[in-house]
Amino acid sequence: MNILPIHISHVDGFHSALDIVARERRYLAAVKAPPLDSTRRFVQGNIDNDQSQFVAIHDSEVVGWCDILSCSDPLRRHIGVLGMGLLPEFRGRGLGEQLLSETIADAQKHRFHRIELHVRASNEPAIRLYRKLGFVLEGTLKNDVFIDNQFDSTHCMALFPDWGN
Ligand SMILES: CC(C)(COP(=O)(O)OP(=O)(O)OC[C@H]1O[C@@H](n2cnc3c(N)ncnc32)[C@H](O)[C@@H]1OP(=O)(O)O)[C@@H](O)C(=O)NCCC(=O)NCCS
């Protein structure tokens, strides 16, 4: 397993992994990946702007991703927004923790004062991982998700890095 900064050659694999996880309908804010073209522009923009976006590679295939992206809003430039996911067969063996730790370490270059994320309240493995790496629960948007005939809530979590800035 390799964890690498994303390269434009990873776009197809990243798009496919994102689509698979989104279609599980249990974890992400979308139920399918955006079109491949816009995903390519998104990744190229991240590379051009030195954003922290990493992929996990197994047998030359993208099996997961993690990104911490700067906000362009002038009021929110001190914030990085986190997203991540792994293909189902690669979960629960330490890869998520490794991927997230490396992405947080790389994001130090942006000196974020706050790294934030949204996670479904039902997603216990993700919540435990985030807590383990220092994220705190800031609040909950109760029943803000309704999917497959069920309500879910969204936790807002954040990490406040002490990087001496
Ligand atoms: C969330 C996700 C990235 C975590 O990655 P992972 O590789 O499965 O997690 P790891 O094996 O690195 O485990 C790290 C910690 O997460 C927690 N964890 C992982 N799997 C868990 C499970 N099945 N049940 C409970 N906690 C779990 C534990 O705290 C674990 O630490 P520990 O092993 O010391 O107890 C991964 O499961 C995933 O991609 N899930 C689907 C997509 C998703 O939820 N994305 C995030 C949306 S906000």
Side-chain angles (χ1 to χ4, degrees):
M1 191 74 61
N2 277 321
I3 294 179
L4 301 173
I6 199 164
H7 181 268
I8 200 65
S9 63
H10 297 132
V11 164
D12 286 5
F14 166 61
H15 181 263
S16 163
L18 180 61
D19 196 53
I20 289 168
V21 179
R23 285 177 193 275
E24 291 182 85
R25 303 168 68 87
R26 296 175 56 191
Y27 306 115
L28 303 186
V31 293
K32 61 179 181 174
L36 183 57
D37 273 4
S38 59
T39 304
R40 184 172 289 108
R41 284 195 297 277
F42 168 72
V43 170
Q44 188 62 58
N46 290 340
I47 293 168
D48 293 345
N49 294 304
D50 201 22
Q51 298 288 316
S52 300
Q53 184 170 28
F54 284 77
V55 284
I57 306 289
H58 177 75
D59 281 349
S60 308
E61 299 293 332
V62 175
V63 300
W65 75 91
C66 183
D67 45 54
I68 297 176
L69 304 178
S70 315
C71 297
S72 55
D73 181 335
L75 299 182
R76 290 172 52 84
R77 290 213 174 112
H78 60 296
I79 300 175
V81 179
L82 174 76
M84 71 182 303
L86 294 172
L87 295 181
E89 58 271 37
F90 291 90
R91 295 173 193 160
R93 48 164 108 162
L95 183 55
E97 184 172 347
Q98 202 187 333
L99 191 51
L100 180 53
S101 301
E102 291 207 22
T103 310
I104 291 172
D106 185 75
Q108 288 192 34
K109 64 193 178 193
H110 291 293
R111 291 283 182 262
F112 293 123
H113 288 254
R114 171 185 168 85
I115 296 175
E116 66 180 27
L117 63 88
H118 284 173
V119 57
R120 292 215 201 147
S122 61
N123 191 351
E124 287 177 22
I127 293 164
R128 279 202 217 171
L129 170 61
Y130 298 140
R131 282 192 193 282
K132 189 175 177 184
L133 294 196
F135 286 78
V136 294
L137 176 63
E138 296 189 293
T140 302
L141 308 174
K142 197 156 184 269
N143 289 349
D144 72 321
V145 173
F146 184 71
I147 188 164
D148 300 331
N149 245 10
Q150 283 198 313
F151 288 104
D152 202 347
S153 300
T154 296
H155 286 335
C156 305
M157 300 185 77
L159 177 72
F160 298 92
D162 180 14
W163 290 331
N165 48 357

